[in-house]
Amino acid sequence: MPARRLRSPVQEFGFELALCAHLEETTDSLVARQLGAAVASPGSRIVDTVLVEPGPEFDARTRITPSTIPALAVESAAGVGRATYWKDAFDCHPDVARRVADRAVELGFFERERRGGREYVRRTTRYPDDWFSRLVGIENKPDLGRPGDLERQLRTDVSLALFDEVVLATESYVTRAHLNRIPEEVGVWRFDPDSGEREVVREAATLSVADPGVELLDERPLRTDVAVVGAGEKARKRRRIAERAYGKGWRSYDLPACARMSLTDDGRPYCEHFGRVVDPGSDCGESCPGFEASDPSELGLDAIRAERSPWVREPSGVARRQSGLDQFG
């Protein structure tokens, strides 16, 4: 791959979307972006791109709902064959339990009934734990000349081992010095967002996702704070990442009400005024010199995702009417 002019920070969003589109086209995986990947310190680590490889029960998951099933609903004590009093189904604050139960019913994962003035819930189907197999976490850093916290982030990803593989994707020419500064387990891709050409500079090692991991919390002179994350905690987090990825995907942006906005064939937001893919969340609006007001776009991002990925937009559903459900009111 020849040397290229590097992108500005504004265009890093375009690099990320181009890589997502490329991976969706060239793999059988679900592709999602901007997902949390910390356990002990939630929110402290956001992974740019995640690949979810389908498992043997993938079809069973697609039949339930196209949306993310709330983690607390999946982890609840509500079963399939026997209804449970809704408060007893959850180990959390009743207000949170109420919201989760309502959402699970809305999605068709729960159904409910009343008995003697009390509400009970049951699952409409067994949750298919084997619907996904491997997870790949990708850190996008188009310009290695501005690494930021790259080394620390990748060391945390490797030591925690939530992902079966961790990869660094860049547009930069990758030198031996670059490779020496990141963990040897991390794979490296060089990706050209214009041509869609992807070069594997270094293969990623397979990490021990079934074993306990170590999450880096803080680094200071003469002191490093870490947390040991058990295998069970990791398994729950992996399921939550996969479930969130299924519902969210990578086209997680709202299109502006601008006549200059259109979509590429793979669903990236393209601005005719600037002649490139833009980030609607930061680049668009009435203050933009190219803004031309129009009715909100009716372009279907979900339809594009359904056509180009294993995700199912309109599943058959799994809800079953149980005796007593018609008494709910």
Side-chain angles (χ1 to χ4, degrees), residues 4 7-22 33-34 49 140 142 171 191-196 250 253 264 266-271 275-280 282-283:
R4 307 183 67 256
R7 311 243 149 187
S8 68
V10 174
Q11 294 173 306
E12 290 183 2
F13 180 80
F15 175 91
E16 182 163 297
L17 295 198
L19 180 60
C20 287
H22 166 78
R33 47 182 291 272
Q34 299 298 307
T49 304
N140 299 322
E171 193 175 354
F191 177 68
D192 183 337
D194 294 328
S195 69
W250 62 268
Y253 35 78
T264 62
D266 50 33
R268 289 175 286 162
Y270 183 85
C271 176
R276 60 175 172 83
V277 171
V278 295
D279 181 355
S282 60
D283 299 340

Side-chain angles (χ1 to χ4, degrees), residues 86-321:
W86 72 274
K87 287 186 179 180
D88 293 341
F90 300 95
D91 183 18
C92 61
H93 191 280
D95 290 346
V96 176
R98 176 76 278 164
R99 291 193 297 270
V100 172
D102 288 346
R103 179 58 175 163
V105 170
E106 179 185 352
L107 296 176
F109 184 58
F110 278 6
E111 54 192 2
R112 55 189 170 188
E113 62 183 89
R114 281 195 184 277
R115 299 177 187 171
R118 286 161 60 100
E119 178 183 325
Y120 291 76
V121 296
R122 64 162 59 85
R123 298 188 188 193
T124 57
T125 187
R126 179 186 64 84
Y127 184 82
D129 289 316
D130 290 335
W131 75 263
F132 68 95
S133 57
R134 300 171 75 254
L135 302 179
V136 179
I138 304 167
E139 180 68 17
N140 299 322
K141 191 65 65 174
D143 185 359
L144 292 180
R146 296 179 302 175
D149 291 334
L150 178 63
E151 182 179 352
R152 179 180 184 274
Q153 291 168 335
L154 294 177
R155 282 194 291 112
T156 299
D157 292 341
V158 169
S159 63
L160 182 55
L162 280 176
F163 299 97
D164 297 86
E165 292 181 2
V166 174
V167 173
L168 166 65
T170 184
E171 193 175 354
S172 296
Y173 177 74
V174 181
T175 67
R176 177 57 57 184
H178 290 137
L179 295 176
N180 289 339
R181 284 198 292 268
I182 63 175
E184 62 182 9
E185 296 90 346
V186 175
V188 179
W189 297 342
R190 192 174 181 217
F191 177 68
D192 183 337
D194 294 328
S195 69
E197 180 182 354
R198 175 165 57 100
E199 173 192 358
V200 179
V201 178
R202 184 170 75 187
E203 295 283 357
T206 299
L207 303 179
S208 301
V209 296
D211 296 330
V214 177
E215 182 174 331
L216 178 62
L217 301 178
D218 190 24
E219 280 188 308
R220 288 167 285 175
L222 304 178
R223 177 173 175 175
T224 300
D225 295 332
V226 301
V228 176
V229 179
E233 294 176 279
K234 285 177 54 175
R236 284 192 295 273
K237 185 63 178 182
R238 281 170 55 83
R239 183 180 60 233
R240 290 185 175 199
I241 291 172
E243 188 60 49
R244 181 66 175 134
Y246 188 87
K248 182 179 182 183
W250 62 268
R251 300 172 183 88
S252 52
Y253 35 78
D254 295 322
L255 299 175
C258 177
R260 303 287 182 88
M261 176 62 65
S262 62
L263 287 178
T264 62
D265 290 343
D266 50 33
R268 289 175 286 162
Y270 183 85
C271 176
E272 297 173 358
H273 176 76
F274 291 106
R276 60 175 172 83
V277 171
V278 295
D279 181 355
S282 60
D283 299 340
C284 300
E286 296 183 4
S287 61
C288 172
F291 180 77
E292 183 178 329
S294 71
D295 292 332
S297 174
E298 296 182 357
L299 298 172
L301 292 173
D302 284 351
I304 294 174
R305 185 187 184 199
E307 179 183 355
R308 291 175 171 266
S309 80
W311 178 76
V312 177
R313 181 186 183 188
E314 297 180 350
S316 57
V318 294
R320 300 168 291 115
R321 289 196 63 82

